[in-house]
Amino acid sequence: MPSSPIPRDTVVDSLVDRLRDDVLSGRYPPGSYLPPERELAAGYAVTRTSLKHAIVRLAQAGLLETRHGVGTRVRDYERLGGPELLPMLARTVGPAWMAEIFEVRREVGARVAARAAEHATAEQRALLRNLVDEVRNAPDADAAQLAECEIHRVIGGATGNRVYGFMVNALLNAYLAVREGFAHAFADPGAAADRLAPLIDALCAGDPDRTRAAADAYFAETEAIMTDGRP
């Protein structure tokens, strides 16, 4: 059982985080039942009311399911879960998931960018060029990183397919949950903009093949920088 009490200032939020981490780290593996509420609440030093609120939130997130008269069980989230779980997984057991997230980022990102090259509106193309300038002129790595994320959201929207947009959002949300660990890739905003420029130029030219190749190159280069810390 947990050994340290939960801070009482944001007790439910903190309890959600602690219980989520205990589930995703394997303390309570998929298919297992949580200890009885009274025991679990005492272990976290919270009230049963706070515990019930936390369980409801984690059930809504797809990690737990409560059966009346039986108890609360950890769902088989790898089999039944959706992309909404990715931010939780990246934040809690990130190294075990980030390689797979980066792999999907490369494969989905290139396809999404190529489709956007065919379907982007003039307004979206102009916005993408402006966002590259925003990256280049960003005052710090944080601002450059957030502007780069917005570029990918716009590209997702420019496909004209809302499902692609949701997929991009899911990957971005997982990335944003741990983005501080990748901020070094944007320490030089000008260099970050230079890496983006070939992709955005190809997309804005409406050339899907060149866009796919540029996206492949961009994702591979930025992944290398993000994962081994090279400037």
Side-chain angles (χ1 to χ4, degrees):
M1 293 298 294
S3 58
S4 57
I6 296 290
R8 295 188 179 278
D9 51 352
T10 56
V11 63
V12 174
D13 289 340
S14 297
L15 181 56
V16 166
D17 290 344
R18 183 80 64 84
L19 189 52
R20 176 203 67 215
D21 291 353
D22 285 346
V23 168
L24 296 178
S25 66
R27 180 189 291 271
Y28 306 120
S32 67
Y33 282 88
L34 299 184
E37 285 187 1
R38 188 181 303 278
E39 179 184 340
L40 196 60
Y44 288 117
V46 298
T47 66
R48 291 180 68 182
T49 299
S50 294
L51 179 64
K52 287 179 184 292
H53 285 307
I55 287 173
V56 166
R57 283 168 56 176
L58 290 174
Q60 292 171 339
L63 286 181
L64 303 176
E65 58 182 1
T66 299
R67 297 183 178 183
H68 184 68
V70 178
T72 299
R73 187 172 71 171
V74 179
R75 298 181 77 225
D76 185 354
Y77 53 84
E78 288 193 24
R79 185 172 70 89
L80 302 172
E84 69 279 357
L85 293 179
L86 287 175
M88 291 185 182
L89 290 161
R91 188 163 47 238
T92 304
V93 285
W97 281 83
M98 286 310 299
E100 294 175 49
I101 290 171
F102 274 123
E103 180 181 4
V104 175
R105 174 180 180 260
R106 290 193 306 272
E107 295 176 357
V108 172
R111 183 177 183 85
V112 166
R115 182 179 172 91
E118 297 181 275
H119 296 277
T121 65
E123 182 180 1
Q124 288 166 331
R125 296 175 201 274
L127 178 56
L128 287 169
R129 291 194 182 280
N130 289 339
L131 284 168
V132 172
D133 289 338
E134 191 172 322
V135 172
R136 187 178 305 282
N137 298 317
D140 52 38
D142 184 68
Q145 188 179 33
L146 291 176
E148 192 257 7
C149 287
E150 186 59 25
I151 284 174
H152 294 301
R153 290 195 196 279
V154 174
I155 291 175
T159 63
N161 184 314
R162 288 171 291 185
V163 177
Y164 277 136
F166 288 158
M167 292 172 67
V168 171
N169 286 340
L171 293 171
L172 281 174
N173 290 341
Y175 169 78
L176 287 168
V178 292
R179 71 184 180 89
E180 293 83 0
F182 304 113
H184 60 272
F186 301 90
D188 183 342
D194 288 342
R195 289 192 293 270
L196 275 164
L199 167 58
I200 302 308
D201 287 345
L203 192 157
C204 290
D207 186 331
D209 292 334
R210 184 158 64 96
T211 300
R212 185 187 295 273
D216 282 335
Y218 177 74
F219 289 127
E221 183 177 11
T222 54
E223 180 180 340
I225 295 170
M226 288 175 179
T227 54
D228 71 12
R230 286 188 287 117

